[in-house]
Amino acid sequence: MLKKFKDLTEKEILAIAIAAEEEDGRIYGEFADALRDEYPSTAQMFEEMREEEVGHRDRLFAMFRQRFGEHIPLIRRENVKGFLQRRPVWLVRPLGVNVARKQAELMEMEAGRFYARAASRTADASTRELLNKLADEERKHKQTAGELEEKHLTASAKASEAESHRKLFLLQVVQPGLLGLMDGSISTLAPLFAAAFAFQNSWKAFLVGLAASVGAGISMGFSESQSDDGSLTGRGSPWLRGAITGLMTTAGGIGHTLPFLISNFHVATIIAIIVVAVELMVISYIRHRYMDTPFLQAAFQVIVGGVLVFIAGWLIGSA
């Protein structure tokens, strides 16, 4: 059963404060460890914030020993009503740098409010003085974090971290999405147009295209999620990559399937072919923009592949 803040004793308030500073220090340490490879300057900033939390903890330890001795009650923030519920973002690898900074802001805000309320409920003058000082220091943490950011995140460091962020974005989002879009756009052409030319019926072609798109999306999603866990390659969460790949695969197939909702078969086929051309150009642009592939080379590779698959579907459907 959770305790109410107003029912806490001064001994329990100090015990919670000590546990909170220990936990916050470990979290900042986890942030620093998780970001050290890709964002070394931000990692150093969190390391200095961790050292500040250690200093706060030691001052609280000294006050607790002076007033209550060595035994600290086992009570933490989660045992008291009113504290924010924290998502354990520090356990996620790879950790997003913006996620870590936002979590740090919330932690500092909560700590400042806690010390202000705790000081108002403390009768002992020395304890109240310490808690008020800690409240002031936590309120200044945002400014301190800004000073640390200016100290560590120089122009060159920011440029380096921005490049790391771009590379991670490519590995974790663009590449899986592009892989799915290419597979969905090209692999579904043969069954879709084979069914279209075989049946000369828009609705039947639509059903075949829909089934091929969804099936390809599920297959590609599971395949990508099982390819590696991202721990060595830095490619991020396998389930996120799988979801991106699966959704983009389905979207790639659905795009040129939707025109077959038009009842006129010939009109639907012409529109579908136009949509395929647009999809292939979009894929070529993405490869050029994010994968540093010359546009003409990317367009040639993608369009030739698409045309060959389309011809295969047309030949099979016309047989």
Side-chain angles (χ1 to χ4, degrees):
M1 184 176 178
L2 297 180
K3 295 195 70 171
K4 295 180 180 178
F5 189 86
K6 65 183 182 64
D7 295 330
L8 296 176
T9 64
E10 293 186 18
K11 185 176 183 178
E12 289 173 331
I13 288 174
L14 283 177
I16 291 174
I18 291 170
E21 293 292 353
E22 286 183 330
E23 182 182 358
D24 288 354
R26 286 198 296 271
I27 291 172
Y28 288 141
E30 289 293 327
F31 286 167
D33 183 66
L35 298 172
R36 189 164 285 115
D37 291 338
E38 285 81 19
Y39 305 98
S41 299
T42 300
Q44 184 59 35
M45 181 185 76
F46 279 121
E47 182 61 31
E48 294 196 17
M49 293 176 73
R50 183 194 68 80
E51 292 172 1
E52 283 196 22
E53 300 304 309
V54 170
H56 291 178
R57 180 205 61 190
D58 291 345
R59 291 157 67 185
L60 288 164
F61 263 133
M63 178 60 67
F64 190 94
R65 288 193 183 100
Q66 176 185 326
R67 293 196 58 197
F68 303 110
E70 294 293 329
H71 176 69
I72 301 177
L74 185 59
I75 183 170
R76 301 180 182 278
R77 284 179 289 203
E78 57 264 31
N79 304 132
V80 181
K81 290 182 178 179
F83 283 100
L84 297 174
Q85 295 295 317
R86 294 181 178 175
R87 297 183 299 110
V89 296
W90 49 89
L91 299 179
V92 177
R93 295 294 186 278
L95 176 68
V97 63
N98 292 327
V99 172
R101 289 173 179 166
K102 184 64 176 178
Q103 181 68 34
E105 289 179 9
L106 292 175
M107 290 164 60
E108 292 161 11
M109 178 191 71
E110 184 182 53
R113 292 173 59 188
F114 166 74
Y115 284 126
R117 289 191 62 194
S120 68
R121 288 193 42 76
T122 304
D124 181 75
S126 58
T127 303
R128 177 180 290 183
E129 180 184 17
L130 173 60
L131 293 175
N132 277 322
K133 284 182 178 179
L134 291 177
D136 290 337
E137 290 175 19
E138 293 293 348
R139 280 193 290 268
K140 293 176 182 177
H141 262 188
K142 187 172 183 180
Q143 177 182 348
T144 303
E147 292 171 355
L148 290 173
E149 189 167 340
E150 286 184 12
K151 173 183 175 182
H152 294 293
L153 296 183
T154 60
S156 60
K158 287 181 179 179
S160 176
E161 293 197 353
E163 178 62 18
S164 294
H165 189 74
R166 188 185 77 87
K167 290 179 179 178
L168 287 175
F169 179 72
L170 288 178
L171 281 173
Q172 298 169 13
V173 178
V174 175
Q175 285 188 356
L178 181 60
L179 175 66
L181 187 60
M182 289 179 63
D183 184 86
S185 297
I186 295 175
S187 69
T188 57
L189 288 178
L192 174 65
F193 285 102
F197 290 119
F199 298 117
Q200 300 284 306
N201 182 285
S202 291
W203 180 245
K204 290 182 179 179
F206 172 78
L207 292 178
V208 171
L210 180 62
S213 301
V214 173
I218 294 172
S219 175
M220 285 294 292
F222 274 104
S223 177
E224 177 62 26
S225 68
Q226 299 303 311
S227 60
D228 71 76
D229 62 4
S231 59
L232 296 178
T233 61
R235 297 179 67 213
S237 165
W239 294 110
L240 177 60
R241 290 198 329 270
I244 292 172
T245 303
L247 289 173
M248 291 305 292
T249 301
T250 302
I254 288 292
H256 47 252
T257 297
L258 289 176
F260 286 99
L261 287 173
I262 300 172
S263 58
N264 187 305
F265 169 75
H266 297 290
V267 173
T269 302
I270 292 172
I271 294 176
I273 292 173
I274 293 173
V275 170
V276 169
V278 172
E279 289 173 347
L280 297 182
M281 294 304 294
V282 168
I283 292 171
S284 301
Y285 173 77
I286 293 174
R287 292 190 64 197
H288 169 67
R289 173 69 174 80
Y290 292 102
M291 312 305 294
D292 297 324
T293 305
F295 182 77
L296 292 179
Q297 178 184 334
F300 178 79
Q301 293 172 346
V302 173
I303 292 173
V304 167
V307 169
L308 290 176
V309 175
F310 173 80
I311 292 174
W314 173 69
L315 291 175
I316 292 170
S318 301

